[in-house]
Amino acid sequence: RKKMELLLLLIIYLCTINSVKTHSVSRPNIILLMADDLGIGDLGCYGNRTLRTPNIDRLAEEGVALTQHIAASPLCTPSRAAFLTGRYPVRSGMAAFSRIGVFLFSASSGGLPSEEITFSKLLKQKGYATALIGKWHLGMNCESSNDFCHHPHSHGFDYFYGLPVTNFRDCKPGQGSVFLKGVQNALVNPIQITGIALVSLVIAQYIGLLKVPFQALGFFLLIITISLVVLIFFFYHFRHLNCFLMRDHQIIQQPLSYENLTQRLTKEAMQFIGRNTDVPFLLVLSYLHVHTALYASENFKGKSNHGLYGDAVEEMDWSVGQVLDVLEKHSLSDKTLVYFTSDQGAHVEEISSAGEVHGGCNGIYKGGKSTNWEGGIRVPGLLRWPGVIQAGAYIDEPTSNMDIFPTIVKLADAQLPSDRIIDGHDLLPLLQGKVTRSKHEFLFHYCNAYLNAVRWHPGNSDSVWKVFFFTPNFSPEDSNGCYDSHVCFCHGGFITRHDPPLLFDLSRDPEENVPLTPETESRFYEILRVVHQAVDNHTRSLHAVPNQLSWDNLLWKPWLQLCCSSLFQSCYCDYESGGSPLEVHS
């Protein structure tokens, strides 16, 4: 009988221990920190020795650093769509077939479709308080200026404080223009053709070769005049129309002021945490750093060894430290999973009009933002959860920013959607050291909506094969980017197609310097055969969906324009100034 009692006590004890462990990894707070255009080589924990990032590095020391963490796209809009949904952006229509792969205007009609299920929607359903602070860049309105069909509120965020689009050079006076060169190039030919056609019509009318009704000629001139006036108005007022700050559905600063901006975003994040110490919360803090236009507050300006770019990185690191400190203040560190990443690699072509480098460092990796070379998609991946995941571990398995979706949905005790393919995989077993292999045998790398490359990590090998079907044409040829066009494009004369495809083994050649050949790799054709089969299987899993980045969805639509006063008053308001800035100790 005593043996039975002891056995019963042992079973009860083991069940209790198990339930405590299960409880400890269930329904944690979630903080997701996303930088913009940050290079993996910009952080100390990934080898940088000249920029000071002690707070971000602390996440690596106290958690896990993923060294082959891959963005689902090398551009902002599709990468962020994949991050929120756990799905390749081509599945949601958030990958473009045209040259432009991101939203440029606040009054575009495209955006993350309401049918998509985001992790914020699922966590909100499970009782989480949810907030997005910072950059959104996934659309705003569909048919009217107040339907907010693509707004963060429509995708599961209770609270929004930030920018509906992104940070442009055009948003900050004196920082140049992203659009000017492109608009000039795009308009020169149409204006020349229109001018020649108009002069030809007038001459033909004058000498009697053609009879054109003066009303038709007048109407033609009127249309051209109106179009030019609208275009000039739009670009003259670009800053007011596209660079503004919102709180929920209300514009609170138009145009955006950069003064103490990171401090304001950080203060909002800290206050959100403080308001929700007694309930589980999801906070997505989406930094404007280090997308151009670069900026830094007075406490950080001129303090780094890398000009304004370095100042911005170090200010962002300060902000991360503030978030970690407020968790400690409320005794929430052990109850909170913190994740830090970038939406894609550094924008290497960013150089100011004064010649200062405004783009970051992708370490040893080739290329950068807008390309699927490793420099464009291999991003920081840092996760910390004291007592639950490993501390000080570096994991070199292929992982994706799409993996955050299933990871946190499972932690919140929510169910993964069963009516659609989720391309991400739960990271927790890898982070806890329970498994040593990633579940990603294949990762598909898209340049906009075009399948550009495939990564294959065979289960019986340490090799990571990467196959390129086409590569961007760098300009100048011997450079590391597309400096002539500011970003690389995905089709036509901007790329070189490869038949057979280029093959690299990233485990031996992470710099992607030397393509393998049938002479240097005996399994060359076998590897290509397996990859082509994987592409066929993947392609069959895709379904036609509306293209959210079509020209129609990208164009500025005046009736969708958000404006806190009126268009005739230049859309001006400022309900932010006068607020007390957060104290900074740099």
Side-chain angles (χ1 to χ4, degrees):
R1 187 178 173 181
K2 274 191 174 182
K3 286 182 180 179
M4 288 295 292
E5 287 176 353
L6 286 170
L7 184 60
L8 186 62
L9 286 170
L10 181 61
I11 291 169
I12 292 170
Y13 172 76
L14 290 173
C15 288
T16 304
I17 292 295
N18 187 58
S19 67
V20 168
K21 187 176 180 183
T22 303
H23 177 71
S24 70
V25 296
S26 179
R27 294 175 60 77
N29 304 311
I30 309 288
I31 296 181
L32 309 176
L33 307 168
M34 180 172 278
D36 197 350
D37 291 1
L38 182 75
I40 194 170
D42 288 326
L43 302 177
C45 53
Y46 286 101
N48 190 295
R49 295 292 173 264
T50 55
L51 281 173
R52 295 166 295 185
T53 55
N55 296 298
I56 298 172
D57 296 345
R58 181 177 152 200
L59 293 175
E61 293 163 10
E62 299 174 1
V64 171
L66 303 171
T67 58
Q68 200 177 159
H69 195 50
I70 307 300
S73 171
L75 287 175
C76 307
T77 294
S79 177
R80 290 162 185 268
F83 171 65
L84 281 173
T85 62
R87 289 153 51 84
Y88 289 109
V90 70
R91 296 194 191 279
S92 57
M94 296 292 281
F97 289 93
S98 60
R99 185 185 300 185
I100 307 300
V102 300
F103 294 116
L104 300 176
F105 312 128
S106 65
S108 297
S109 57
L112 187 62
S114 57
E115 300 80 24
E116 287 299 312
I117 297 175
T118 60
F119 54 63
S120 40
K121 280 183 182 177
L122 295 176
L123 267 63
K124 182 177 179 179
Q125 291 170 5
K126 299 300 289 187
Y128 274 68
T130 59
L132 187 137
I133 294 170
K135 169 177 168 172
W136 175 235
H137 210 183
L138 293 171
M140 190 55 52
N141 293 309
C142 290
E143 296 178 357
S144 69
S145 62
N146 60 359
D147 63 36
F148 298 112
C149 63
H150 301 307
H151 188 281
H153 281 193
S154 300
H155 288 290
F157 290 104
D158 298 319
Y159 182 68
F160 172 58
Y161 175 92
L163 273 70
V165 193
T166 187
N167 179 25
F168 293 109
R169 281 190 178 276
D170 305 68
C171 295
K172 191 178 180 188
Q175 292 296 304
S177 172
V178 171
F179 299 101
L180 196 57
K181 187 176 179 181
V183 168
Q184 285 172 340
N185 292 340
L187 290 182
V188 166
N189 285 340
I191 288 174
Q192 285 177 342
I193 291 168
T194 304
I196 291 168
L198 199 56
V199 170
S200 300
L201 282 173
V202 171
I203 292 171
Q205 175 87 4
Y206 180 75
I207 64 178
L209 285 177
L210 191 65
K211 291 294 181 183
V212 181
F214 278 106
Q215 293 92 335
L217 205 59
F219 183 73
F220 182 60
L221 281 169
L222 181 64
I223 293 296
I224 290 173
T225 304
I226 291 172
S227 300
L228 284 173
V229 167
V230 169
L231 199 64
I232 291 166
F233 172 85
F234 176 77
F235 282 104
Y236 183 77
H237 292 281
F238 181 91
R239 179 167 165 251
H240 291 75
L241 299 178
N242 295 285
C243 313
F244 53 86
L245 192 65
M246 296 182 75
R247 176 176 281 113
D248 295 324
H249 289 149
Q250 183 186 4
I251 296 174
I252 55 175
Q253 192 172 61
Q254 191 172 16
L256 170 74
S257 168
Y258 287 88
E259 185 178 0
N260 296 324
L261 181 54
T262 300
Q263 295 176 48
R264 285 182 276 155
L265 295 173
T266 306
K267 185 176 181 181
E268 287 284 337
M270 294 169 68
Q271 289 176 340
F272 174 78
I273 293 169
R275 290 195 301 268
N276 292 285
T277 56
D278 296 328
V279 295
F281 63 80
L282 163 70
L283 168 63
V284 178
L285 178 49
S286 177
Y287 290 103
L288 276 64
H289 289 318
V290 280
H291 197 294
T292 53
L294 294 179
Y295 68 96
S297 64
E298 289 301 320
N299 298 76
F300 294 91
K301 203 174 290 183
K303 300 293 177 65
S304 79
N305 293 325
H306 289 283
L308 189 53
Y309 183 89
D311 300 342
V313 172
E314 293 186 0
E315 182 171 39
M316 178 172 60
D317 180 79
W318 163 83
S319 173
V320 171
Q322 295 295 299
V323 172
L324 298 181
D325 288 348
V326 82
L327 289 177
E328 288 185 7
K329 174 185 172 183
H330 293 294
S331 302
L332 294 174
S333 295
D334 293 347
K335 303 173 186 175
T336 305
L337 173 66
V338 179
Y339 167 71
F340 180 91
T341 192
S342 177
D343 54 358
Q344 65 265 324
H347 193 172
V348 296
E349 296 93 345
E350 277 289 6
I351 298 174
S352 75
S353 55
E356 182 180 358
V357 174
H358 278 188
C361 171
N362 293 314
I364 64 171
Y365 304 111
K366 182 185 289 188
K369 176 179 179 175
S370 79
T371 82
N372 280 303
W373 294 112
E374 289 296 284
I377 54 175
R378 194 181 289 223
V379 293
L382 304 171
L383 296 104
R384 188 196 78 164
W385 187 1
V388 179
I389 66 176
Q390 302 173 81
Y394 281 77
I395 296 175
D396 193 35
E397 286 289 296
T399 58
S400 169
N401 64 350
M402 296 183 292
D403 295 336
I404 297 305
F405 180 97
T407 302
I408 66 174
V409 166
K410 185 175 179 181
L411 287 172
D413 293 336
Q415 292 295 315
L416 288 174
S418 58
D419 63 342
R420 63 199 63 204
I421 292 173
I422 301 297
D423 297 298
H425 295 292
D426 181 10
L427 285 173
L428 197 60
L430 196 64
L431 300 175
Q432 292 182 312
K434 292 180 178 178
V435 300
T436 58
R437 303 283 298 196
S438 165
K439 290 182 181 178
H440 287 290
E441 183 179 3
F442 297 98
L443 280 169
F444 301 94
H445 305 305
Y446 281 86
C447 186
N448 286 354
Y450 304 99
L451 185 59
N452 185 185
V454 178
R455 181 182 307 248
W456 178 34
H457 185 35
N460 59 353
S461 169
D462 290 332
S463 291
V464 180
W465 307 105
K466 189 173 177 187
V467 172
F468 274 96
F469 303 113
F470 63 85
T471 50
N473 298 329
F474 284 168
S475 54
E477 274 187 42
D478 58 349
S479 69
N480 189 41
C482 301
Y483 290 86
D484 293 344
S485 54
H486 192 62
V487 292
C488 296
F489 297 115
C490 304
H491 61 281
F494 298 102
I495 63 170
T496 297
R497 297 192 178 276
H498 302 286
D499 186 15
L502 297 186
L503 174 64
F504 299 91
D505 182 358
L506 298 178
S507 66
R508 291 179 289 167
D509 181 20
E511 298 96 336
E512 299 169 295
N513 282 332
V514 184
L516 299 170
T517 66
E519 290 72 37
T520 57
E521 175 52 61
S522 60
R523 294 162 291 176
F524 184 88
Y525 290 109
E526 173 62 17
I527 293 164
L528 293 186
R529 185 192 65 78
V530 173
V531 167
H532 280 301
Q533 183 60 56
V535 169
D536 288 343
N537 293 339
H538 169 68
T539 304
R540 282 197 294 271
S541 76
L542 302 176
H543 303 288
V545 292
N547 181 5
Q548 297 297 322
L549 289 152
S550 65
W551 283 112
D552 177 54
N553 280 326
L554 284 172
L555 288 175
W556 178 60
K557 297 180 172 67
W559 58 94
L560 298 183
Q561 183 61 55
L562 289 168
C563 188
C564 61
S565 53
S566 75
L567 285 174
F568 299 104
Q569 293 174 304
S570 298
C571 294
Y572 177 82
C573 64
D574 188 355
Y575 304 115
E576 273 285 280
S577 296
S580 57
L582 194 60
E583 187 177 355
V584 177
H585 302 283
S586 57

